[in-house]
Amino acid sequence: MTYRVVQWGTGNVGRHALAGIIANPDLELAGVWVSGPAKSGVDAGTLAGLDHRVGVTATTDADALLAARPDCVVYCSRTDNRLMEAVGDLQRILSAGINVVACAPVFFQYPYGVLPDNLLKPVQEAAAQGNSSLWVNGIDPGFANDLLPLALAGTCLRIDQLRCMEIVDYASYDNREVMFDIMGFGKPLDDIPMLLQPGVLSLAWGGTVRQLAAGIGVTLDAVTETYERIPAAHDFDIATGHIAEGTAAALRFEVRGMVGDRPVTVLEHVTRLHPDLCPEWPQPAHHEGSYRVEITGEPSYAMDLVTSSRNGDHNHATLLATAMRIVNAVPAVVQAAPGILTALDLPLITNPAQR
């Protein structure tokens, strides 16, 4: 069976998703939505970075794309600075009877116990109205802290703590708004960015620790958060700008799922912009970065996932992995029961193009 798919957004993740749709014989590209006139009318092959045209051109006309009633939208529009608009997009698409796989907003990865009713219920109602499904995933939040740790957890006699870590050098990450405005790099340490405002870490990754707890059958009493920022010891440049001495250049945070006073499920990020920063913090398995799962129990595990690509660095590889995680899920999501889906609801996802 072939599924008709619209690609929604062609930025850092969306262009990889678009290439994945084009390459998959079980998916038919039914349209491409772009946010502005610069890309409108451009062939999808060009937007995906391919060396050939595919005969589908991008448009800013969302109404026309939805009226064509595709089976699924691959939603990769920017959400960091437009959360409410993104939620509105999802409601609109779902209520039109169209399934959605998306890399964001990340709090829909596992929204239960995380989102207030005024955000959760309208999306649930839109899915019920359209008899459609929504699945949000990627790498983090995503398979690095749901699929991989839960697979290991299934082999344990006892679990005392399940910890998922991202230990990555972000110097080559090409999104200035995320790096400087949202994460606060290159800013004075007393300038608290959006990501570190009270409750934001738990909004973004609270679903991760709650889903892990649900997966191992644990009821959490609370979700807490903590962070530490370290200044640059000298001036240096990253892909998106200049980091001055004394400004924020490293960030470590944890979102903890608590049972009593004990952290049972933990999401930890260790983010550096230069390799000489914070040598005492956890180090990656590869110099550019890795994703780590640590299970303390019986047996205990430590597993590192290192991404790479012949076409770019580790950040390129993780953007591609994020895109393909959701593109490859299209058939499973279309076939699933309506509503908001999580990794606990879907079967093991493989790429039909590779079988």
Side-chain angles (χ1 to χ4, degrees):
M1 180 176 180
T2 301
Y3 299 93
R4 298 176 62 249
V5 178
V6 165
Q7 176 59 42
W8 203 281
T10 58
N12 281 343
V13 175
R15 62 189 176 89
H16 294 302
L18 180 56
I21 294 167
I22 294 168
N24 192 322
D26 291 338
L27 304 179
E28 175 190 343
L29 183 64
V32 180
W33 180 87
V34 290
S35 60
K39 294 181 180 180
S40 184
V42 178
D43 187 83
T46 301
L47 293 174
L50 306 179
D51 59 4
H52 63 275
R53 296 171 58 85
V54 299
V56 177
T57 57
T59 180
T60 58
D61 189 346
D63 290 333
L65 292 175
L66 298 183
R69 295 299 300 273
D71 296 300
C72 192
V73 163
V74 179
Y75 187 87
C76 298
S77 185
R78 180 175 293 184
T79 63
D80 298 297
N81 62 345
R82 50 182 298 277
L83 284 176
M84 296 311 299
E85 293 91 336
V87 172
D89 289 343
L90 297 180
Q91 289 177 245
R92 180 184 182 190
I93 298 166
L94 292 167
S95 63
I98 302 166
N99 302 287
V100 181
V101 296
C103 61
V106 295
F107 44 61
F108 282 113
Q109 179 233 12
Y110 189 88
Y112 309 110
V114 177
L115 287 186
D117 284 347
N118 67 322
L119 281 177
L120 180 57
K121 282 190 174 180
V123 175
Q124 290 176 315
E125 291 168 356
Q129 177 183 337
N131 197 37
S132 51
S133 298
L134 167 67
W135 191 64
V136 177
N137 212 261
I139 188 168
D140 182 354
F143 70 86
N145 40 53
D146 56 37
L147 179 66
L148 296 183
L150 290 176
L152 287 179
T155 69
C156 289
L157 172 67
R158 186 190 78 252
I159 295 175
D160 301 321
Q161 185 182 91
L162 176 50
R163 177 179 294 264
C164 298
M165 305 172 68
E166 179 190 82
I167 313 170
V168 174
D169 187 326
Y170 268 42
S172 65
Y173 187 70
D174 188 16
N175 189 321
R176 181 177 175 86
E177 185 174 25
V178 168
M179 295 294 292
F180 285 83
D181 298 335
I182 294 173
M183 299 186 75
F185 290 121
K187 300 291 181 68
L189 293 183
D190 58 1
D191 183 348
I192 307 302
M194 185 181 81
L195 182 67
L196 302 179
Q197 296 294 326
V200 174
L201 290 173
S202 295
L203 181 64
W205 284 277
T208 297
V209 298
R210 290 183 183 277
Q211 181 171 241
L212 289 172
I216 62 175
V218 170
T219 299
L220 298 179
D221 296 319
V223 172
T224 65
E225 58 188 49
T226 183
Y227 70 85
E228 180 181 4
R229 302 167 81 199
I230 299 298
H234 53 81
D235 291 2
F236 60 90
D237 293 318
I238 61 173
T240 52
H242 182 70
I243 304 297
E245 179 182 349
T247 64
L251 169 65
R252 182 180 184 181
F253 68 77
E254 291 187 5
V255 179
R256 301 167 177 164
M258 307 294 293
V259 175
D261 60 359
R262 182 168 61 94
V264 175
T265 55
V266 181
L267 185 285
E268 179 179 359
H269 276 209
V270 177
T271 307
R272 298 177 175 91
L273 301 188
H274 199 279
D276 65 3
L277 289 164
C278 308
E280 73 280 8
W281 287 2
Q283 295 290 335
H286 183 271
H287 67 89
E288 292 179 336
S290 63
Y291 292 86
R292 182 171 298 160
V293 177
E294 294 181 346
I295 296 180
T296 305
E298 183 57 36
S300 294
Y301 288 103
M303 177 181 71
D304 277 287
L305 172 70
V306 177
T307 61
S308 63
S309 169
R310 290 175 294 178
N311 298 310
D313 70 357
H314 63 294
N315 277 317
H316 171 90
T318 55
L319 290 170
L320 176 59
T322 294
M324 296 315 302
R325 175 69 167 153
I326 59 175
V327 169
N328 292 338
V330 167
V333 171
V334 172
Q335 295 166 18
I340 297 175
L341 306 173
T342 76
L344 302 177
D345 300 312
L346 293 185
L348 179 66
I349 296 167
T350 58
N351 182 355
Q354 302 303 315
R355 288 207 293 265

